[in-house]
Amino acid sequence: MRAKTETRRQAILDAAAVVFQETGFERTTMAAICERLGYSKATLYNYFASKEELFSAVVFEATEAEFQATLEALDATVEDMTEALQKFGRGLLTLQYSPQVQAVRRLIVAEAGRSELGKKCYELGPVRNEAAAAAFLQHAMDTGQLRQADARIAALHLRGLLEAEWLDRFLFQTLEPISAEEINATVARAVAAFMAAYGPVQA
């Protein structure tokens, strides 16, 4: 019974994400989501009490996937720091620039000014990801794999370098699908620049 409940909840989230992306938060109605699903309103409201709650759940699912991918990509067991950062970068960009996550990111940006949504999305996504990356980089600094610096700022610089080649095109919706080869090349350039700035000081 629980599995069926979770399956239905996920179906609602998937359908809602598509409808929100197509029409935006303001124009989306719970009735439109029900129509997409083929569920009754009673069924939908049994899972989510309001459109705002449903939208928050859609956003949380997307940001949680990004956070978990960040944690998985930050592999402290990789001894070579360049290799470790390249693994992180490939994981981050592959997720960030997948069609599904791009769509949710655009939806969040479009609706971020509405009430406390922007702050909530920022805390669920960038703040947690930044903290995880900073902790990883601080460990690398403490073990001599990187020079000592402000780990939080270093984490921001790393993310900025990784997204620098693609972010403007993403924001202005002119970005074509990115291949694995392009991601690998982007990551190699970004990590090389990061290591030039934060690599250990040579004696």
Side-chain angles (χ1 to χ4, degrees):
M1 184 67 179
R2 183 174 182 179
K4 183 178 180 180
T5 298
E6 286 301 314
T7 298
R8 182 168 289 183
R9 183 179 187 277
Q10 189 60 52
I12 293 171
L13 289 173
D14 292 343
V18 172
V19 177
F20 282 131
Q21 289 158 21
E22 289 176 349
T23 61
F25 177 83
E26 292 297 336
R27 289 188 297 164
T28 294
T29 64
M30 296 292 263
I33 296 170
C34 288
E35 184 177 346
R36 179 67 62 97
L37 282 162
Y39 291 175
S40 68
K41 282 189 177 181
T43 298
L44 186 57
Y45 281 106
N46 188 48
Y47 286 86
F48 299 98
S50 66
K51 183 173 73 169
E52 289 77 6
E53 183 180 316
L54 178 52
F55 185 83
S56 293
V58 168
V59 169
F60 176 78
E61 182 176 62
T63 53
E64 184 64 19
E66 181 181 346
F67 179 63
Q68 292 302 325
T70 297
L71 292 181
E72 290 174 11
L74 292 169
D75 188 353
T77 66
V78 179
E79 294 183 3
D80 183 273
M81 183 50 52
T82 295
E83 183 182 341
L85 293 176
Q86 287 178 346
K87 178 181 179 181
F88 167 67
R90 288 192 298 270
L92 177 70
L93 293 187
T94 298
L95 177 72
Q96 286 280 63
Y97 290 96
S98 66
Q100 298 87 350
V101 174
Q102 282 192 65
V104 174
R105 288 178 78 191
R106 289 195 180 101
L107 179 61
I108 292 171
V109 170
E111 303 296 337
R114 190 181 58 81
S115 64
E116 292 292 306
L117 179 62
K119 180 181 178 182
K120 185 173 183 180
C121 292
Y122 176 67
E123 290 172 347
L124 285 172
V127 169
R128 291 196 303 164
N129 293 332
E130 176 190 309
F136 175 82
L137 295 177
Q138 185 63 62
H139 175 75
M141 293 172 186
D142 292 342
T143 55
Q145 294 172 291
L146 296 174
R147 70 171 179 82
Q148 286 294 331
D150 186 320
R152 186 185 72 84
I153 298 300
L156 292 174
H157 286 169
L158 176 60
R159 189 182 185 98
L161 286 166
L162 288 167
E163 288 209 75
E165 297 180 25
W166 308 109
L167 186 58
D168 281 349
R169 277 180 276 178
F170 161 73
L171 291 173
F172 289 95
Q173 301 191 36
T174 62
L175 185 62
E176 299 294 329
I178 307 174
S179 68
E181 290 75 16
E182 288 175 307
I183 286 177
N184 290 341
T186 293
V187 169
R189 290 187 288 267
V191 171
F194 182 84
M195 290 301 292
Y198 287 98
V201 177
Q202 300 298 320

